[in-house]
PDB file of all heavy atoms in Angstrom:
ATOM      1  N   THR A  93       6.177  -3.212   5.422  1.00  0.00           N
ATOM      2  CA  THR A  93       7.408  -3.143   4.691  1.00  0.00           C
ATOM      3  C   THR A  93       8.271  -4.400   4.998  1.00  0.00           C
ATOM      4  O   THR A  93       7.930  -5.194   5.939  1.00  0.00           O
ATOM      5  CB  THR A  93       8.222  -1.918   5.074  1.00  0.00           C
ATOM      6  OG1 THR A  93       8.546  -1.910   6.475  1.00  0.00           O
ATOM      7  CG2 THR A  93       7.445  -0.640   4.738  1.00  0.00           C
ATOM      8  N   SER A  94       9.373  -4.511   4.301  1.00  0.00           N
ATOM      9  CA  SER A  94      10.284  -5.614   4.552  1.00  0.00           C
ATOM     10  C   SER A  94      11.686  -5.103   4.327  1.00  0.00           C
ATOM     11  O   SER A  94      11.910  -4.009   3.724  1.00  0.00           O
ATOM     12  CB  SER A  94      10.028  -6.725   3.592  1.00  0.00           C
ATOM     13  OG  SER A  94      10.923  -7.845   3.731  1.00  0.00           O
ATOM     14  N   SER A  95      12.699  -5.785   4.807  1.00  0.00           N
ATOM     15  CA  SER A  95      14.092  -5.431   4.607  1.00  0.00           C
ATOM     16  C   SER A  95      14.669  -5.841   3.314  1.00  0.00           C
ATOM     17  O   SER A  95      15.663  -5.385   2.851  1.00  0.00           O
ATOM     18  CB  SER A  95      14.944  -5.963   5.767  1.00  0.00           C
ATOM     19  OG  SER A  95      14.846  -7.405   5.838  1.00  0.00           O
ATOM     20  N   GLU A  96      13.951  -6.821   2.631  1.00  0.00           N
ATOM     21  CA  GLU A  96      14.407  -7.314   1.308  1.00  0.00           C
ATOM     22  C   GLU A  96      13.193  -7.690   0.499  1.00  0.00           C
ATOM     23  O   GLU A  96      12.086  -7.948   1.011  1.00  0.00           O
ATOM     24  CB  GLU A  96      15.325  -8.475   1.537  1.00  0.00           C
ATOM     25  CG  GLU A  96      14.738  -9.643   2.318  1.00  0.00           C
ATOM     26  CD  GLU A  96      15.696 -10.744   2.531  1.00  0.00           C
ATOM     27  OE1 GLU A  96      16.928 -10.534   2.308  1.00  0.00           O
ATOM     28  OE2 GLU A  96      15.250 -11.873   2.997  1.00  0.00           O
ATOM     29  N   VAL A  97      13.478  -7.809  -0.822  1.00  0.00           N
ATOM     30  CA  VAL A  97      12.386  -8.149  -1.770  1.00  0.00           C
ATOM     31  C   VAL A  97      12.115  -9.708  -1.622  1.00  0.00           C
ATOM     32  O   VAL A  97      13.014 -10.448  -1.538  1.00  0.00           O
ATOM     33  CB  VAL A  97      12.795  -7.791  -3.141  1.00  0.00           C
ATOM     34  CG1 VAL A  97      11.728  -8.334  -4.167  1.00  0.00           C
ATOM     35  CG2 VAL A  97      12.999  -6.303  -3.324  1.00  0.00           C
ATOM     36  N   SER A  98      10.791 -10.004  -1.607  1.00  0.00           N
ATOM     37  CA  SER A  98      10.431 -11.398  -1.540  1.00  0.00           C
ATOM     38  C   SER A  98       9.195 -11.624  -2.470  1.00  0.00           C
ATOM     39  O   SER A  98       8.770 -10.659  -3.065  1.00  0.00           O
ATOM     40  CB  SER A  98      10.038 -11.790  -0.118  1.00  0.00           C
ATOM     41  OG  SER A  98       8.904 -11.057   0.261  1.00  0.00           O
ATOM     42  N   PHE A  99       8.719 -12.841  -2.539  1.00  0.00           N
ATOM     43  CA  PHE A  99       7.551 -13.085  -3.323  1.00  0.00           C
ATOM     44  C   PHE A  99       6.377 -12.245  -2.946  1.00  0.00           C
ATOM     45  O   PHE A  99       5.555 -11.767  -3.705  1.00  0.00           O
ATOM     46  CB  PHE A  99       7.138 -14.589  -3.232  1.00  0.00           C
ATOM     47  CG  PHE A  99       5.931 -14.960  -4.057  1.00  0.00           C
ATOM     48  CD1 PHE A  99       6.033 -15.249  -5.398  1.00  0.00           C
ATOM     49  CD2 PHE A  99       4.757 -15.054  -3.432  1.00  0.00           C
ATOM     50  CE1 PHE A  99       4.908 -15.571  -6.091  1.00  0.00           C
ATOM     51  CE2 PHE A  99       3.563 -15.356  -4.133  1.00  0.00           C
ATOM     52  CZ  PHE A  99       3.601 -15.580  -5.466  1.00  0.00           C
ATOM     53  N   GLU A 100       6.276 -11.984  -1.610  1.00  0.00           N
ATOM     54  CA  GLU A 100       5.134 -11.233  -1.056  1.00  0.00           C
ATOM     55  C   GLU A 100       5.283  -9.710  -1.404  1.00  0.00           C
ATOM     56  O   GLU A 100       4.371  -8.929  -1.088  1.00  0.00           O
ATOM     57  CB  GLU A 100       5.041 -11.353   0.494  1.00  0.00           C
ATOM     58  CG  GLU A 100       4.488 -12.731   0.948  1.00  0.00           C
ATOM     59  CD  GLU A 100       5.575 -13.853   0.809  1.00  0.00           C
ATOM     60  OE1 GLU A 100       6.779 -13.524   0.569  1.00  0.00           O
ATOM     61  OE2 GLU A 100       5.207 -15.021   0.918  1.00  0.00           O
ATOM     62  N   SER A 101       6.396  -9.337  -2.072  1.00  0.00           N
ATOM     63  CA  SER A 101       6.592  -7.982  -2.446  1.00  0.00           C
ATOM     64  C   SER A 101       6.110  -7.656  -3.880  1.00  0.00           C
ATOM     65  O   SER A 101       5.965  -6.485  -4.294  1.00  0.00           O
ATOM     66  CB  SER A 101       8.021  -7.550  -2.357  1.00  0.00           C
ATOM     67  OG  SER A 101       8.562  -7.791  -1.036  1.00  0.00           O
ATOM     68  N   ARG A 102       5.948  -8.724  -4.676  1.00  0.00           N
ATOM     69  CA  ARG A 102       5.578  -8.552  -6.090  1.00  0.00           C
ATOM     70  C   ARG A 102       4.143  -8.108  -6.184  1.00  0.00           C
ATOM     71  O   ARG A 102       3.265  -8.721  -5.548  1.00  0.00           O
ATOM     72  CB  ARG A 102       5.792  -9.867  -6.864  1.00  0.00           C
ATOM     73  CG  ARG A 102       7.228 -10.406  -6.834  1.00  0.00           C
ATOM     74  CD  ARG A 102       8.199  -9.465  -7.548  1.00  0.00           C
ATOM     75  NE  ARG A 102       7.858  -9.242  -8.934  1.00  0.00           N
ATOM     76  CZ  ARG A 102       8.567  -8.556  -9.786  1.00  0.00           C
ATOM     77  NH1 ARG A 102       9.672  -7.957  -9.320  1.00  0.00           N
ATOM     78  NH2 ARG A 102       8.206  -8.388 -11.033  1.00  0.00           N
ATOM     79  N   MET A 103       3.890  -7.147  -7.036  1.00  0.00           N
ATOM     80  CA  MET A 103       2.519  -6.641  -7.248  1.00  0.00           C
ATOM     81  C   MET A 103       2.250  -6.335  -8.674  1.00  0.00           C
ATOM     82  O   MET A 103       3.185  -6.144  -9.501  1.00  0.00           O
ATOM     83  CB  MET A 103       2.287  -5.346  -6.386  1.00  0.00           C
ATOM     84  CG  MET A 103       2.368  -5.566  -4.939  1.00  0.00           C
ATOM     85  SD  MET A 103       1.782  -4.060  -4.066  1.00  0.00           S
ATOM     86  CE  MET A 103       2.158  -4.536  -2.369  1.00  0.00           C
ATOM     87  N   SER A 104       0.958  -6.357  -8.995  1.00  0.00           N
ATOM     88  CA  SER A 104       0.506  -5.938 -10.334  1.00  0.00           C
ATOM     89  C   SER A 104      -0.167  -4.583 -10.160  1.00  0.00           C
ATOM     90  O   SER A 104      -0.985  -4.378  -9.222  1.00  0.00           O
ATOM     91  CB  SER A 104      -0.486  -6.936 -10.930  1.00  0.00           C
ATOM     92  OG  SER A 104      -1.035  -6.463 -12.163  1.00  0.00           O
ATOM     93  N   ILE A 105       0.154  -3.652 -11.042  1.00  0.00           N
ATOM     94  CA  ILE A 105      -0.395  -2.252 -10.995  1.00  0.00           C
ATOM     95  C   ILE A 105      -1.233  -2.100 -12.259  1.00  0.00           C
ATOM     96  O   ILE A 105      -0.713  -2.084 -13.344  1.00  0.00           O
ATOM     97  CB  ILE A 105       0.683  -1.200 -10.857  1.00  0.00           C
ATOM     98  CG1 ILE A 105       1.486  -1.482  -9.571  1.00  0.00           C
ATOM     99  CG2 ILE A 105       0.053   0.132 -10.800  1.00  0.00           C
ATOM    100  CD1 ILE A 105       2.881  -1.059  -9.727  1.00  0.00           C
ATOM    101  N   GLN A 106      -2.543  -1.901 -12.060  1.00  0.00           N
ATOM    102  CA  GLN A 106      -3.464  -1.741 -13.204  1.00  0.00           C
ATOM    103  C   GLN A 106      -3.962  -0.296 -13.279  1.00  0.00           C
ATOM    104  O   GLN A 106      -4.431   0.201 -12.251  1.00  0.00           O
ATOM    105  CB  GLN A 106      -4.656  -2.749 -13.070  1.00  0.00           C
ATOM    106  CG  GLN A 106      -4.236  -4.210 -13.033  1.00  0.00           C
ATOM    107  CD  GLN A 106      -5.472  -5.102 -12.907  1.00  0.00           C
ATOM    108  OE1 GLN A 106      -6.487  -4.683 -12.461  1.00  0.00           O
ATOM    109  NE2 GLN A 106      -5.287  -6.342 -13.254  1.00  0.00           N
ATOM    110  N   ILE A 107      -3.824   0.289 -14.417  1.00  0.00           N
ATOM    111  CA  ILE A 107      -4.377   1.654 -14.669  1.00  0.00           C
ATOM    112  C   ILE A 107      -5.508   1.484 -15.656  1.00  0.00           C
ATOM    113  O   ILE A 107      -5.260   1.313 -16.873  1.00  0.00           O
ATOM    114  CB  ILE A 107      -3.277   2.566 -15.212  1.00  0.00           C
ATOM    115  CG1 ILE A 107      -2.108   2.591 -14.196  1.00  0.00           C
ATOM    116  CG2 ILE A 107      -3.803   3.935 -15.375  1.00  0.00           C
ATOM    117  CD1 ILE A 107      -0.883   3.405 -14.659  1.00  0.00           C
ATOM    118  N   LEU A 108      -6.661   1.573 -15.205  1.00  0.00           N
ATOM    119  CA  LEU A 108      -7.895   1.327 -15.978  1.00  0.00           C
ATOM    120  C   LEU A 108      -8.913   2.471 -15.803  1.00  0.00           C
ATOM    121  O   LEU A 108      -9.346   2.668 -14.690  1.00  0.00           O
ATOM    122  CB  LEU A 108      -8.541  -0.050 -15.677  1.00  0.00           C
ATOM    123  CG  LEU A 108      -7.623  -1.215 -15.815  1.00  0.00           C
ATOM    124  CD1 LEU A 108      -8.233  -2.462 -15.222  1.00  0.00           C
ATOM    125  CD2 LEU A 108      -7.220  -1.479 -17.223  1.00  0.00           C
ATOM    126  N   PRO A 109      -9.318   3.195 -16.893  1.00  0.00           N
ATOM    127  CA  PRO A 109      -8.830   3.007 -18.242  1.00  0.00           C
ATOM    128  C   PRO A 109      -7.364   3.520 -18.326  1.00  0.00           C
ATOM    129  O   PRO A 109      -6.883   4.294 -17.565  1.00  0.00           O
ATOM    130  CB  PRO A 109      -9.806   3.937 -19.019  1.00  0.00           C
ATOM    131  CG  PRO A 109     -10.225   5.024 -18.078  1.00  0.00           C
ATOM    132  CD  PRO A 109     -10.299   4.225 -16.682  1.00  0.00           C
ATOM    133  N   ARG A 110      -6.765   3.048 -19.398  1.00  0.00           N
ATOM    134  CA  ARG A 110      -5.348   3.337 -19.634  1.00  0.00           C
ATOM    135  C   ARG A 110      -5.124   4.832 -19.569  1.00  0.00           C
ATOM    136  O   ARG A 110      -5.731   5.617 -20.202  1.00  0.00           O
ATOM    137  CB  ARG A 110      -4.902   2.787 -21.061  1.00  0.00           C
ATOM    138  CG  ARG A 110      -3.416   2.973 -21.290  1.00  0.00           C
ATOM    139  CD  ARG A 110      -3.076   2.247 -22.534  1.00  0.00           C
ATOM    140  NE  ARG A 110      -1.730   2.572 -22.968  1.00  0.00           N
ATOM    141  CZ  ARG A 110      -1.089   2.069 -24.055  1.00  0.00           C
ATOM    142  NH1 ARG A 110      -1.775   1.220 -24.802  1.00  0.00           N
ATOM    143  NH2 ARG A 110       0.076   2.415 -24.304  1.00  0.00           N
ATOM    144  N   GLY A 111      -4.050   5.230 -18.823  1.00  0.00           N
ATOM    145  CA  GLY A 111      -3.636   6.673 -18.739  1.00  0.00           C
ATOM    146  C   GLY A 111      -4.354   7.434 -17.638  1.00  0.00           C
ATOM    147  O   GLY A 111      -3.950   8.529 -17.354  1.00  0.00           O
ATOM    148  N   ASP A 112      -5.343   6.811 -16.977  1.00  0.00           N
ATOM    149  CA  ASP A 112      -6.052   7.558 -15.914  1.00  0.00           C
ATOM    150  C   ASP A 112      -5.479   7.278 -14.586  1.00  0.00           C
ATOM    151  O   ASP A 112      -5.698   6.244 -13.997  1.00  0.00           O
ATOM    152  CB  ASP A 112      -7.580   7.236 -15.956  1.00  0.00           C
ATOM    153  CG  ASP A 112      -8.329   8.002 -14.986  1.00  0.00           C
ATOM    154  OD1 ASP A 112      -7.813   8.882 -14.301  1.00  0.00           O
ATOM    155  OD2 ASP A 112      -9.566   7.824 -15.004  1.00  0.00           O
ATOM    156  N   LEU A 113      -4.577   8.150 -14.099  1.00  0.00           N
ATOM    157  CA  LEU A 113      -3.867   7.915 -12.864  1.00  0.00           C
ATOM    158  C   LEU A 113      -4.750   8.167 -11.625  1.00  0.00           C
ATOM    159  O   LEU A 113      -4.376   7.989 -10.486  1.00  0.00           O
ATOM    160  CB  LEU A 113      -2.678   8.872 -12.730  1.00  0.00           C
ATOM    161  CG  LEU A 113      -1.621   8.605 -13.787  1.00  0.00           C
ATOM    162  CD1 LEU A 113      -0.437   9.502 -13.540  1.00  0.00           C
ATOM    163  CD2 LEU A 113      -1.058   7.099 -13.699  1.00  0.00           C
ATOM    164  N   SER A 114      -6.078   8.427 -11.832  1.00  0.00           N
ATOM    165  CA  SER A 114      -7.065   8.412 -10.752  1.00  0.00           C
ATOM    166  C   SER A 114      -7.799   7.121 -10.714  1.00  0.00           C
ATOM    167  O   SER A 114      -8.765   7.020  -9.963  1.00  0.00           O
ATOM    168  CB  SER A 114      -8.008   9.600 -10.913  1.00  0.00           C
ATOM    169  OG  SER A 114      -8.860   9.407 -11.998  1.00  0.00           O
ATOM    170  N   ALA A 115      -7.498   6.155 -11.545  1.00  0.00           N
ATOM    171  CA  ALA A 115      -8.138   4.862 -11.485  1.00  0.00           C
ATOM    172  C   ALA A 115      -7.061   3.753 -11.562  1.00  0.00           C
ATOM    173  O   ALA A 115      -6.820   3.138 -12.578  1.00  0.00           O
ATOM    174  CB  ALA A 115      -9.064   4.739 -12.744  1.00  0.00           C
TER     175      ALA A 115
END
Side-chain angles (χ1 to χ4, degrees):
T93 62
S94 179
S95 59
E96 59 184 11
V97 174
S98 64
F99 179 83
E100 288 75 14
S101 304
R102 302 293 302 180
M103 295 190 185
S104 173
I105 302 151
Q106 300 179 339
I107 303 176
L108 304 171
R110 180 175 174 178
D112 186 357
L113 295 181
S114 69

